[in-house]
Amino acid sequence: MPEDGLPFPETTHELALDPEVLARELAQELLGDPLDEIDSVAPSSSDVAAECDLGIELLKGGREQRLQGLRIFCEHRDPRAIPLLLPLLKAGCPIVRMSAVYALGRNPHPLAVEPLLGLLGADDNGYVRKAVAWSLGNYPEAPVLNPLIRALEMDISAVRLWAASSLADAGATGVAKADPAAAQLLLTLRIDSEPAVRSNSAWSLGRLYTDLVEPRQRDVVEALLHTMLHDGDSTVRDEARMALEQLEQPEVLERLQTLVDEGLIS
């Protein structure tokens, strides 16, 4: 699944701050996007406990200390952090809001659902909305499906990218959610202007396949085959092929082999 770095909005009006300035601040304050480092290390349990203890104290401090604490809870889970993280979703600083959103993706809690959905729908900062689109993938039982579909339809490319990915999790709780998620992903795969969004849509469709029923499963296979053969971007074509191969359906694998034999794919 493609994972971009810091997203840049499509117009200068889509962020409250100049994106170049905010990118520099993010690099300085957070040493990169928290998404890039989640799951990057596996410290011992004693190290994690000590780091979480420190994180709790940092979250009670001033702005610089809170940012350090937020980085800790972008990587680690601790229920003690929840009451300290929730108020930060209303922070005036977009860097703090963004980091709190990521931390609540790592530390999901029912009380975070409503404010996260509010940020996805109304926050004027694209970095924050991108963070929400990622975090909501960790709330599959909550009513996040329709908000993610709307984000995939209407938001800037960086938000659409993560909305496409999160729909794989939001839709994987049964056909009632999987089918509308797949319907939007199929449309996005066909019409979205951004290759990374189309690529993530292909990935998510492959993930949702087993939760779908006919004729939607057939629609997914045909769309992925068409994308693999005709999309203008090689990374999207490769992602579609990988999604098809991972379905492990004999008839699909046979069709792929036929395309190889005919020289249409290598």
Side-chain angles (χ1 to χ4, degrees), residues 175 179 186 209 212-222:
V175 68
D179 191 73
L186 285 165
Y209 181 84
L212 299 169
V213 296
E214 290 290 359
R216 188 68 80 188
Q217 284 187 331
R218 184 166 62 253
D219 292 341
V220 167
V221 170
E222 295 304 324

Side-chain angles (χ1 to χ4, degrees), residues 3-128:
E3 294 187 8
D4 67 345
L6 293 173
F8 288 90
E10 294 167 346
T11 76
T12 56
H13 301 294
E14 287 172 325
L15 288 183
L17 299 180
D18 181 87
E20 295 289 348
V21 173
L22 185 52
R24 287 196 294 271
E25 284 192 36
L26 287 168
Q28 245 181 351
E29 301 279 6
L30 300 174
L31 302 179
D33 189 325
L35 270 184
D36 296 334
E37 296 189 10
I38 288 176
D39 286 332
S40 62
V41 292
S44 69
S45 58
S46 60
D47 290 340
V48 171
E51 197 164 359
C52 288
D53 287 343
L54 174 61
I56 295 295
E57 295 306 312
L58 289 169
L59 288 178
K60 298 174 184 177
R63 178 179 179 277
E64 299 304 318
Q65 288 74 34
R66 286 198 302 272
L67 285 170
Q68 294 177 48
L70 284 166
R71 280 202 68 79
I72 289 172
F73 294 110
C74 286
E75 298 178 18
H76 303 306
R77 291 185 171 92
D78 191 320
R80 297 175 299 162
I82 301 301
L84 298 170
L85 294 173
L86 289 171
L88 298 180
L89 295 177
K90 299 179 180 179
C93 174
I95 298 172
V96 174
R97 292 200 308 281
M98 181 196 76
S99 300
V101 169
Y102 282 135
L104 285 164
R106 173 58 89 184
N107 293 266
H109 191 277
L111 290 177
V113 174
E114 185 176 348
L116 287 173
L117 291 176
L119 290 175
L120 182 65
D123 200 283
D124 62 0
N125 188 290
Y127 291 88
V128 176

Side-chain angles (χ1 to χ4, degrees), residues 41 60 121 193 199 203 219 257 260:
V41 292
K60 298 174 184 177
S193 61
S199 183
W203 178 84
D219 292 341
Q257 186 58 50
V260 172

Side-chain angles (χ1 to χ4, degrees), residues 221-237:
V221 170
E222 295 304 324
L224 290 173
L225 283 167
H226 185 272
T227 299
M228 180 189 71
L229 292 171
H230 301 294
D231 195 276
D233 187 275
S234 62
T235 61
V236 182
R237 297 195 300 271

